Amino acid sequence: MRTLMFLLQKEFRQIFRNAMILRMIIAMPIIQLLIMPMAADFEIKNITISIVDHDRSSYSQKLVNKIIASGYFRLNDYSSSFHESFGEFQNDNSDLILEIPLNFEKDLVRENSSDLFIAVNAINGTKASVGSSYLGRIISDYNSDIRLQRSEPQQMTASHLIEITTLNWFNPFLNYPFFMVPGILVVLVTMVGAFMCALNIVKEKEVGTIEQINVTPIKKYIFILGKLIPFWLIGIFIFSIGLFIIARFVYGIIPMGSVIVLYSFLGIYLIALLGIGLIISTYSNTQQQAMSLAFFCMMIFLLMSGLFTPIESMPEWAKVIAKCNPVTYFIEVMRMVVLKGSGFSDLIWQFLIICGMAVFFNTWAIVNYKKTS
Amino acid sequence: METDIVIKTEKLTKRFGDFIATNQITFDVQAGEIFGFLGANGAGKTTAMKMLCGLSTPTSGNATIAGFDIYRETEQIKKNIGYMSQKFSLYEDLTVLENINFFGGIYGLSKKRLSEKSESLIETLNMKELRKKLVGSLPLGWKQKLAFSVSILHEPKIVFLDEPTGGVDPVTRRQFWDLLYAAADRGITIFVTTHYMDEAEYCNRITMMVDGEIKALDTPKKLMQQYSSDSMDEVFYELARGAKRKAD
């Protein structure tokens, strides 16, 4: 026990003496939480559109106004030649072309129907599909406006119109940061676990001090505890800054559920993550190797965690990876507790899995950590 | 007397794949002796020393350190030895005093012993003004003297020194050897590897390693007689010339 105290004292002295680490601990959560949720926003805005209007009628004018007024589109050019607009399209200046045919108004009035043509630049698939569906909605909206104007009142009642009203649960205003901030907090904590802990141990290997430790009678598990505890505390500290300061005061996110549940999960999650950091450190001899390895793990952890893309829509093999990924579970728990107010009884499965992972990774690390070669 | 032998090895061998780093080395070291371990780079000195410290497991052969078996009682051995590696191994981002306290602490020295020890250590090394300085800011010679003093803080039976004076100026080297003699006088056995042949002459007995094998083992004086030369330098050249391995 006394040995552990000496190790912890030494570890904290070194951490507080290292200006770089201190800055990282304070600045990283603040900056990442301020920048990332703003940028990592899936709401598609500013879709550029080229409109080819062969009709130039009051009806076509109304449609164009309606599109621009929606706020999602930015008019790139308004021409009467498809060829000209297609040039813009090819130069990547516009994402969408809407072609309004000649006699658009005449056909609508006389024959009650007319055709429109939309061309979509599908390099960015999400933008393309979201853009064209926005445009489709605006046009059908426009369509019902015209019907309303042109039809007789008695005809109105005869036409069947289904209108859908959506009620958004758990995040009523579809506020994007509400969805992202809890996830990004998880990323932050993960970085601390995997990176800082691994780098710290490998640094001792690199400098040679670990050899000095290995000739002392220190027990393996005491040494490892001496490394885990400081980073465990740092992880909790960073998480708290994020949750109680940035999330609350900048984004107005107050967890719906119990903070105790969150912290219990965080505690176990950090143990699992630090285990991964330890594993990385046992396999690498230089900080560079540890960095590359940790980076590799982080990329997979983040992209396969459901942070940016829903796991449900991944292919089966990817779902398997996501299910083996500790980050997945923490993000799930964060979103459930913070947004839905889920309690411990809803999260038993996640708790069991993360406990299992904590045991698994740490056992692996301790077995693989050798005092002798 | 049997108890006077603190290090006893028998055909100690370490292989790395096809490469035999140390090949069946056998020797005894008496308590209180300054035992020099000489050899060119890559001769297998560090490997041998790491096996004796319990940092590396031998491929075959036997050894006892302070009466403890090198395979089964490594933790016991670790309580009874000190070690100073080739790389500087104190924490550069801790102060002199913090390093002393840390290493004393993990060897289980009581608070009282620790403060007495660090007091006298700082006194001997004449580092009173430097005690609150980060170790990283000290000159190399000072660091090495400090590292040695820290490695014998817990009064081990044996201390292993791996090229402790590499890159240190002659004056400081002299002071360093004074520290070694003082420790030996207190009964600590000193096992030291070195490249410097003048240092070899300070040792009570020396072994010469060539290509992982012991080629000579005796007092410096007898070795010089045997090879009829005036200095250890010549003895070294005589022996090392036969080496087949390239220095790394």
Side-chain angles (χ1 to χ4, degrees):
Chain A
M1 230 18 236
R2 200 160 155 263
T3 314
L4 185 59
M5 289 316 290
F6 276 106
L7 279 170
L8 290 179
Q9 189 187 33
K10 166 217 147 220
E11 220 55 64
F12 277 111
R13 272 190 179 134
Q14 288 182 305
I15 289 167
F16 286 117
R17 213 158 270 166
N18 189 333
M20 186 63 201
I21 292 187
L22 269 188
R23 257 178 259 151
M24 254 175 79
I25 294 171
I26 309 288
M28 198 169 76
I30 297 176
I31 292 173
Q32 290 214 11
L33 278 172
L34 288 182
I35 294 174
M36 277 175 63
M38 309 271 190
D41 187 334
F42 278 139
E43 227 186 319
I44 306 265
K45 285 175 193 151
N46 298 327
I47 304 163
T48 45
I49 186 167
S50 294
I51 296 175
V52 186
D53 188 355
H54 298 296
D55 198 37
R56 304 263 171 183
S57 61
S58 71
Y59 269 52
S60 75
Q61 198 57 50
K62 252 188 229 162
L63 178 61
V64 171
N65 284 342
K66 195 167 171 71
I67 291 167
I68 305 306
S70 72
Y72 293 112
F73 296 95
R74 214 163 40 79
L75 185 64
N76 181 60
D77 62 303
Y78 181 70
S79 64
S80 31
S81 128
F82 184 80
H83 189 71
E84 201 174 295
S85 291
F86 197 70
E88 286 295 291
F89 196 63
Q90 278 177 320
N91 291 335
D92 242 352
N93 290 332
S94 68
D95 302 315
L96 274 173
I97 299 178
L98 171 69
E99 192 178 19
I100 303 169
L102 196 63
N103 300 333
F104 175 67
E105 186 178 275
K106 215 157 81 192
D107 288 351
L108 261 184
V109 175
R110 280 202 198 141
E111 293 163 35
N112 270 328
S113 83
S114 178
D115 297 319
L116 286 171
F117 173 73
I118 300 174
V120 187
N121 178 351
I123 287 179
N124 181 340
T126 322
K127 203 168 181 180
S129 66
V130 172
S132 62
S133 81
Y134 280 166
L135 194 57
R137 283 232 310 266
I138 293 168
I139 292 169
S140 75
D141 230 31
Y142 171 79
N143 195 6
S144 54
D145 283 354
I146 297 175
R147 283 170 70 176
L148 209 69
Q149 275 176 20
R150 295 198 33 81
S151 54
E152 305 297 315
Q154 60 268 37
Q155 271 181 304
M156 233 333 256
T157 46
S159 69
H160 301 281
L161 260 179
I162 298 174
E163 206 174 315
I164 301 164
T165 312
T166 318
L167 184 59
N168 298 313
W169 276 82
F170 310 124
N171 184 2
F173 303 107
L174 295 180
N175 186 336
Y176 207 71
F178 272 39
F179 178 68
M180 283 311 283
V181 169
I184 289 170
L185 257 175
V186 174
V187 175
L188 280 174
V189 170
T190 309
M191 302 268 278
V192 175
F195 267 92
M196 287 170 88
C197 177
L199 284 183
N200 179 291
I201 296 178
V202 175
K203 189 184 160 205
E204 290 222 22
K205 272 194 190 175
E206 228 175 50
V207 179
T209 44
I210 201 153
E211 213 167 58
Q212 198 66 42
I213 297 285
N214 286 344
V215 292
T216 67
I218 288 187
K219 298 255 181 315
K220 213 153 101 167
Y221 74 94
I222 299 254
F223 176 73
I224 288 178
L225 270 182
K227 287 290 178 195
L228 290 191
I229 293 172
F231 291 100
W232 189 79
L233 291 173
I234 290 175
I236 289 182
F237 177 74
I238 289 185
F239 183 82
S240 306
I241 294 188
L243 188 66
F244 291 112
I245 299 176
I246 311 293
R248 173 160 303 188
F249 294 111
V250 178
Y251 298 104
I253 300 172
I254 296 168
M256 298 288 291
S258 144
V259 175
I260 297 171
V261 172
L262 271 188
Y263 273 87
S264 321
F265 197 87
L266 171 68
I268 306 168
Y269 175 78
L270 272 171
I271 296 174
L273 251 289
L274 291 169
I276 294 176
L278 276 175
I279 293 172
I280 291 174
S281 76
T282 58
Y283 283 105
S284 31
N285 289 316
T286 63
Q287 294 190 65
Q288 202 181 12
Q289 288 170 354
M291 257 323 237
S292 322
L293 206 54
F295 197 74
F296 170 74
C297 294
M298 281 300 283
M299 285 308 276
I300 294 178
F301 281 176
L302 295 189
L303 294 176
M304 308 297 280
S305 66
L307 173 65
F308 300 111
T309 46
I311 292 169
E312 291 77 26
S313 49
M314 288 178 187
E316 287 305 318
W317 59 265
K319 278 185 197 167
V320 175
I321 299 178
K323 290 229 162 75
C324 300
N325 179 356
V327 182
T328 307
Y329 297 96
F330 196 23
I331 288 182
E332 222 171 274
V333 168
M334 277 296 277
R335 285 178 178 159
M336 282 171 80
V337 175
V338 173
L339 298 180
K340 274 165 83 175
S342 303
F344 182 70
S345 53
D346 307 307
L347 302 167
I348 288 174
W349 180 236
Q350 282 88 341
F351 266 93
L352 281 178
I353 288 181
I354 205 72
C355 283
M357 284 184 172
V359 172
F360 173 72
F361 289 130
N362 284 288
T363 314
W364 180 357
I366 290 175
V367 169
N368 206 41
Y369 172 79
K370 290 189 186 77
K371 277 180 93 172
T372 53
S373 58
Chain B
M1 243 169 50
E2 184 65 27
T3 46
D4 274 340
I5 292 171
V6 286
I7 302 175
K8 187 177 175 64
T9 75
E10 211 180 310
K11 295 187 173 174
L12 204 59
T13 302
K14 178 81 180 184
R15 258 176 229 271
F16 298 103
D18 287 340
F19 179 74
I20 303 172
T22 57
N23 192 7
Q24 308 207 348
I25 53 171
T26 305
F27 61 88
D28 296 337
V29 180
Q30 316 274 315
E33 207 177 7
I34 298 183
F35 191 82
F37 215 59
L38 275 63
N41 286 334
K45 292 173 298 186
T46 302
T47 311
M49 183 176 268
K50 283 192 171 167
M51 284 192 284
L52 298 179
C53 294
L55 284 174
S56 165
T57 315
T59 315
S60 66
N62 288 310
T64 52
I65 310 292
F68 297 109
D69 183 81
I70 200 173
Y71 294 102
R72 286 176 289 111
E73 296 166 307
T74 48
E75 293 306 304
Q76 290 296 324
I77 290 175
K78 283 173 184 174
K79 281 185 192 142
N80 287 293
I81 61 166
Y83 173 65
M84 182 179 163
S85 73
Q86 219 164 5
K87 286 183 184 173
F88 177 71
S89 49
L90 296 180
Y91 290 96
E92 304 228 336
D93 48 359
L94 294 181
T95 67
V96 173
L97 210 56
E98 284 164 355
N99 267 298
I100 297 172
N101 281 330
F102 172 68
F103 283 103
I106 59 175
Y107 274 108
L109 264 59
S110 71
K111 216 172 174 185
K112 196 164 143 268
R113 277 268 320 274
L114 195 56
S115 71
E116 278 170 18
K117 272 274 174 190
S118 61
E119 203 66 39
S120 73
L121 192 158
I122 286 171
E123 191 84 36
T124 335
L125 292 183
N126 207 0
M127 286 179 125
K128 224 169 180 114
E129 278 93 70
L130 300 171
R131 64 208 288 181
K132 296 252 165 74
K133 275 253 169 49
L134 292 187
V135 165
S137 67
L138 299 179
L140 183 67
W142 287 92
K143 285 185 188 169
Q144 297 302 81
K145 283 194 281 182
L146 181 65
F148 172 69
S149 305
V150 167
S151 72
I152 56 163
L153 204 59
H154 56 295
E155 293 288 329
K157 291 211 174 83
I158 310 151
V159 61
F160 293 91
L161 310 171
D162 195 0
E163 285 171 31
T165 52
V168 175
D169 68 79
V171 177
T172 318
R173 256 168 58 197
R174 209 40 222 253
Q175 293 170 346
F176 190 88
W177 275 85
D178 288 341
L179 287 174
L180 293 194
Y181 274 113
D185 283 345
R186 293 212 302 275
I188 298 176
T189 308
I190 290 167
F191 187 104
V192 57
T193 71
T194 181
H195 286 311
Y196 297 108
M197 290 305 131
D198 58 328
E199 287 187 351
E201 290 176 39
Y202 301 150
C203 298
N204 299 128
R205 280 197 306 154
I206 52 174
T207 62
M208 276 283 204
M209 274 193 86
V210 179
D211 287 351
E213 286 170 34
I214 292 181
K215 281 279 154 57
L217 195 169
D218 218 324
T219 61
K221 204 181 249 171
K222 282 200 182 145
L223 280 177
M224 281 189 273
Q225 278 171 5
Q226 191 184 332
Y227 290 87
S228 51
S229 48
D230 314 324
S231 69
M232 280 308 296
D233 258 353
E234 285 176 32
V235 179
F236 183 80
Y237 284 128
E238 194 64 41
L239 284 162
R241 204 157 37 199
K244 291 185 186 70
R245 257 182 226 168
K246 281 205 182 110
D248 54 13

